Amino acid sequence: MPEREEQIYKDAIILMKSNDINLILSAVEYFNSISEYKDAATKKQECLDKIKKIEIRMEKDRKYMKANIVIICISMIAILAILIVLISAMIYQHNNVVRKFTEVDPVTTSVAKESENITGN
């Protein structure tokens, strides 16, 4: 029986070194099953404390990631807005240039009509 408890204790010690909450919870269960063996009760409490620390760190990481996502989204929206303004300005300029070269010049047109009237054509 002590050999079995020793093996459970060793396995629990290995599990509690993990940073995976599920593995640490398994260690807690192992220590519960041998609660009177060596310092199993103390080790169990260490596991529970470690789980709390991991959960706190995970919550901080989640908040940090959410903040980063918000910053990235706002940046992307700002970049898109700037691109839309720039592209719109380029299209507007292009349309003005095209219009300038495709419109008939009123001065040239009136001179041409007068010359037609004079020549009779």
Side-chain angles (χ1 to χ4, degrees), residues 5 18 33 47 79 81:
E5 288 176 335
S18 171
S33 71
C47 290
I79 290 169

Side-chain angles (χ1 to χ4, degrees), residues 18-105:
S18 171
N19 285 322
D20 183 326
I21 290 177
N22 292 324
L23 294 177
I24 299 169
L25 285 172
S26 295
V28 169
E29 290 175 17
Y30 282 21
F31 286 128
N32 268 341
S33 71
I34 56 166
S35 58
E36 300 297 321
Y37 187 76
K38 290 186 178 181
D39 61 346
T42 305
K43 294 292 186 188
K44 173 188 162 187
Q45 190 56 48
E46 287 177 25
C47 290
L48 295 173
D49 293 343
K50 186 173 182 177
I51 289 171
K52 285 180 186 174
K53 287 178 185 177
I54 291 171
E55 288 174 342
I56 290 169
R57 188 176 66 236
M58 287 173 61
E59 185 59 31
K60 285 180 184 177
D61 289 349
R62 266 189 230 108
K63 287 179 183 177
Y64 179 74
M65 286 185 350
K66 282 181 185 179
N68 283 344
I69 289 170
V70 168
I71 291 169
I72 290 169
C73 288
I74 290 172
S75 300
M76 294 299 288
I77 290 170
I79 290 169
L80 285 173
I82 291 168
L83 285 174
I84 288 170
V85 168
L86 290 174
I87 291 171
S88 297
M90 291 170 62
I91 290 171
Y92 180 76
Q93 273 186 327
H94 175 73
N95 287 343
N96 282 342
V97 169
V98 168
R99 192 176 306 121
K100 212 180 240 183
F101 287 107
T102 57
E103 285 180 348
V104 176
D105 186 12

